[in-house]
Amino acid sequence: MWPCVVSSFSRRLVASLGVCGRRKCCGTAAFMPEAPAFEGVRSRSELRDFSVSDSERFWAAVGNQRLSWISPFHTVQDCDLTQGRIKWFEGGKLNVSVNCLDRHVHTSPDRVALIWERDEQGSEVKYTYRELLEMTCRLGNVLRRRGVKRGDCVTIYMPTCPLAVAAMLACARIGAAHNVVFAGFSADALAERIRDAESNTVITVNQGVRGGKFTELKKTVDEAVQSCPSVQQVLVAMRTDTPVVMTARDVAMEEYVFSYHDGDVFGCVADIGWITGHSYTVYGPLANGGTTVLFESTPIYPDPGRYWNTVERLKINQFYGAPTAIRLLLKYGDHWVTKYDRSTLKTLGSVGEPINTEAWEWYHRVVGDGRCPVVDTWWQTETGGICIAPRPSEPDAEIVPGMAMRPFFGIKPVLMDTEGKVLTSNNTSGALCMAQPWPGMARTIRNNHQRFIETYYQPYPGYFFTGDGAYRSAQGYYQITGRLDDVINVSGHRIGTAEIEDVVNQCSAVAESAVIGFSHDIKGEGVYAFVVLKKNIDIKEDDLSRQLNKMVSKKIAKYACPDVIQLANRLPKTRSGKIMRRVLRKVVERDLDGLGDLSTLDDPTAVQEIVEGHNAIL
Ligand code: WTA
């Protein structure tokens, strides 16, 4: 089995490239090629090596065989990592929505494309490829008629549902970009993202439903667009029966919208507001003609058996989720899992953050009955798709719990030391970079190419820098150790600590603050805020905490609220005034021996105070 959608992608890729996908052929343990497309390539692992050593020929074949082109490409790649120049399939033109829909409607129109696992357990709805194409075309026509043009950026603020998928594909169909904003984000966070995208059109629903609770998405959009002068229209679909106030700007969508086995049922339970939902709920499965599940609910609604009840009912073959949910569920006990039939499951995937050994083992032993490989897949928004993951379909492929293991097709990872030199030996840790480009990687940051170059290509010239640290074992397997920059990962959601500090500092009682991540049993990382109050402020800690929580949920989202607030008289700073977050991290990790060089600290007693304050909290 191969990780997730990549699994079906890869199986077909392997088939289309002429390498046999069966575990054993011709009575031998080795893979036997049926019709090798590349001379000398006889197994999947040789194909993987070939994908790096001759990436040009590899990707040319993938591009030609796996995609339908409007006009063919003339140059496979024109990339230069020293310049941050990423260009693939030059001269080629394709439409991703045609590749996700029309191609499959021609061959198998009635195959189920989406299974919408609605919040209300047991009320799933299925959409075939034909239905999804029709819904997408209708929506594309609506958008076009309402003035959305090629190059515009439409903001989609919707829960994970078929219409949201159709909206994404409709944008792609007419050449517009989509800016999917996680429906848990507040009005302020939404407004910032709408302004950034300069959207003139927003698509939303009246209300969202999650875990039995209603969220007023349309109201949030109303509030957000007040500070977004670019927005001319808001398309509103009805997820529930509750009417909403419509203004002149709003357009009701309910006249426009209606409601295999060649492939497996793919259950990626990520929200479409994050990259995993984009690549492995929408584009990956559909581009491969698969059946994909849209999970609208939460892992514990109506009870902690929800995922496995869904697996039983929808006969899910690959389940792809986040370690934070696994850690949460294992605390409720095995019976919530074992009472459901999980015999359809073949592969269990994990993504978004490191999976600890306890969670990995529970996932493998209890959820997968010890028979399904667990694939811990490492990747990020910037990489577009999975980069490092186990490949259990290969003979004797070892999987070590908690390790992302081995680079995927076309991926050449390297580890760097602090001086920017490539670490060549094994059993070593360093900054994770990529030495070679591949087609799915990010090409720029919209409207800010300079920031793209500075963030990803300047730290290690000639390499793409991921922002993560990694360990390479004696056997050459990779394990991701976490972020190296000021980005933290709370329950699989990435957020810059600066964004949280910015909100905390807006509180009238607060003089300044520093936010760091700390190890948290369920969330992976929690938010730890050091707060310095303004002089002569008298506020109870409970009140401060309430105020900060309210502000952070309003301006960002609930998940970003501080788990711990530590009041301090001052923060440890360098003589040039920079907060030494490294020191704060060490204090919270209780690694006082690891505080390192404190010679640049302007007032060493500040550290002692922070340590005492931290001890008092414990
Ligand atoms: C982290 C999510 C450890 C990592 C696909 C990365 C992981 C960030 C793993 C990207 C994993 C993702 N093991 N850490 N298997 N997968 N991460 O952009 O820090 O939301 O840089 O993409 O999540 O988060 P993003």
Side-chain angles (χ1 to χ4, degrees), residues 557-598:
K558 269 207 186 104
Y559 76 83
C561 289
D563 296 279
V564 182
I565 297 172
Q566 179 176 336
L567 293 178
N569 291 325
R570 61 210 143 139
L571 299 171
K573 290 188 184 169
T574 62
R575 281 184 221 113
S576 61
K578 285 206 177 70
I579 298 171
M580 294 179 81
R581 289 186 178 71
R582 161 178 73 83
V583 170
L584 296 174
R585 260 183 236 121
K586 290 288 174 194
V587 171
V588 172
E589 284 164 13
R590 309 194 61 69
D591 178 14
L592 297 187
D593 294 338
L595 287 178
D597 180 8
L598 298 178

Side-chain angles (χ1 to χ4, degrees), residues 116 135 139 154-168 171 178-185 190 202-210 215 217-218 221 234-239 253 257 270-274 278 295-296:
W116 183 20
M135 182 158 50
L139 199 46
V154 173
T155 294
I156 299 173
Y157 183 68
M158 300 172 93
T160 299
C161 63
L163 194 59
V165 174
M168 292 165 79
C171 289
H178 55 62
N179 169 35
V180 183
V181 178
F182 171 51
F185 271 129
L190 170 63
V202 177
I203 311 180
T204 191
V205 296
N206 62 334
Q207 289 184 308
V209 197
R210 227 170 147 250
T215 43
L217 298 188
K218 163 70 165 60
V221 173
V234 176
L235 309 189
V236 186
M238 298 296 282
R239 166 64 178 89
M253 286 210 296
V257 179
D271 192 285
I272 52 157
W274 301 100
H278 278 57
F295 187 77
E296 188 182 43

Side-chain angles (χ1 to χ4, degrees), residues 274-276 320 323 350-355 376-383 388 402 404 466-468 480-483 489 492-494:
W274 301 100
I275 190 65
T276 310
Y320 197 18
S350 167
V351 62
E353 45 177 324
I355 180 164
D376 175 10
T377 64
W378 176 88
W379 58 293
Q380 47 183 191
T381 305
E382 297 85 338
T383 68
I388 306 182
T466 65
D468 282 345
I480 310 301
T481 46
R483 301 288 308 178
N489 191 329
H493 299 337
R494 262 167 94 175

Side-chain angles (χ1 to χ4, degrees), residues 194-195 199-200 224-232:
I194 295 175
R195 284 196 297 269
S199 293
N200 60 24
V225 297
Q226 279 175 19
S227 59
C228 302
S230 61
V231 175
Q232 285 159 12

Side-chain angles (χ1 to χ4, degrees), residues 111-413:
R111 184 188 301 164
V112 174
L114 311 177
I115 309 180
W116 183 20
E117 173 64 1
R118 287 158 38 101
D119 192 56
E120 301 85 349
Q121 185 164 278
S123 70
E124 68 268 17
V125 184
K126 296 182 175 165
Y127 289 79
T128 64
Y129 272 91
R130 195 207 324 256
E131 286 167 336
L132 184 57
L133 174 65
E134 209 167 312
M135 182 158 50
T136 301
C137 290
R138 279 168 185 247
L139 199 46
N141 287 335
V142 171
L143 292 174
R144 226 186 328 226
R145 256 204 317 273
R146 303 200 65 90
V148 177
K149 298 182 303 298
R150 168 190 291 263
D152 287 353
C153 185
V154 173
T155 294
I156 299 173
Y157 183 68
M158 300 172 93
T160 299
C161 63
L163 194 59
V165 174
M168 292 165 79
L169 293 168
C171 289
R173 201 160 187 93
I174 65 171
H178 55 62
N179 169 35
V180 183
V181 178
F182 171 51
F185 271 129
S186 68
D188 288 2
L190 170 63
E192 202 181 316
R193 284 157 177 83
I194 295 175
R195 284 196 297 269
D196 196 52
E198 299 165 288
S199 293
N200 60 24
T201 303
V202 177
I203 311 180
T204 191
V205 296
N206 62 334
Q207 289 184 308
V209 197
R210 227 170 147 250
K213 297 201 186 79
F214 296 94
T215 43
E216 304 297 330
L217 298 188
K218 163 70 165 60
K219 270 200 196 133
T220 309
V221 173
D222 287 345
E223 202 184 321
V225 297
Q226 279 175 19
S227 59
C228 302
S230 61
V231 175
Q232 285 159 12
Q233 54 189 347
V234 176
L235 309 189
V236 186
M238 298 296 282
R239 166 64 178 89
T240 63
D241 295 333
T242 313
V244 281
V245 177
M246 299 290 275
T247 68
R249 193 182 38 224
D250 301 328
V251 183
M253 286 210 296
E254 69 261 72
E255 350 48 292
Y256 302 122
V257 179
F258 57 100
S259 60
Y260 119 56
H261 180 91
D262 170 71
D264 291 330
V265 176
F266 189 75
C268 169
V269 290
D271 192 285
I272 52 157
W274 301 100
I275 190 65
T276 310
H278 278 57
S279 296
Y280 293 100
T281 304
V282 181
Y283 289 109
L286 297 181
N288 288 285
T291 298
T292 186
V293 174
L294 307 180
F295 187 77
E296 188 182 43
S297 198
T298 80
I300 51 167
Y301 178 76
D303 57 51
R306 179 58 185 263
Y307 277 165
W308 326 118
N309 170 295
T310 306
V311 165
E312 175 181 295
R313 244 181 321 107
L314 308 187
K315 303 192 175 6
I316 288 173
N317 300 112
Q318 290 90 9
F319 182 88
Y320 197 18
T324 184
I326 303 301
R327 284 192 293 267
L328 175 71
L329 295 178
L330 76 80
K331 296 207 183 308
Y332 287 95
D334 299 0
H335 65 286
W336 288 109
V337 183
T338 49
K339 66 196 265 202
Y340 296 106
D341 176 9
R342 288 152 287 110
S343 57
T344 52
L345 284 176
K346 295 196 244 174
T347 314
L348 299 172
S350 167
V351 62
E353 45 177 324
I355 180 164
N356 50 312
T357 313
E358 187 194 7
W360 193 100
E361 273 167 358
W362 185 81
Y363 201 23
H364 184 251
R365 178 177 55 80
V366 180
V367 176
D369 279 329
R371 60 178 182 84
C372 303
V374 171
V375 289
D376 175 10
T377 64
W378 176 88
W379 58 293
Q380 47 183 191
T381 305
E382 297 85 338
T383 68
I386 293 169
C387 287
I388 306 182
R391 301 197 299 276
S393 60
E394 289 175 13
D396 308 322
E398 191 188 3
I399 300 186
V400 183
M403 288 193 114
M405 305 297 293
R406 298 195 280 166
F408 204 58
F409 285 97
I411 301 297
K412 193 170 172 190

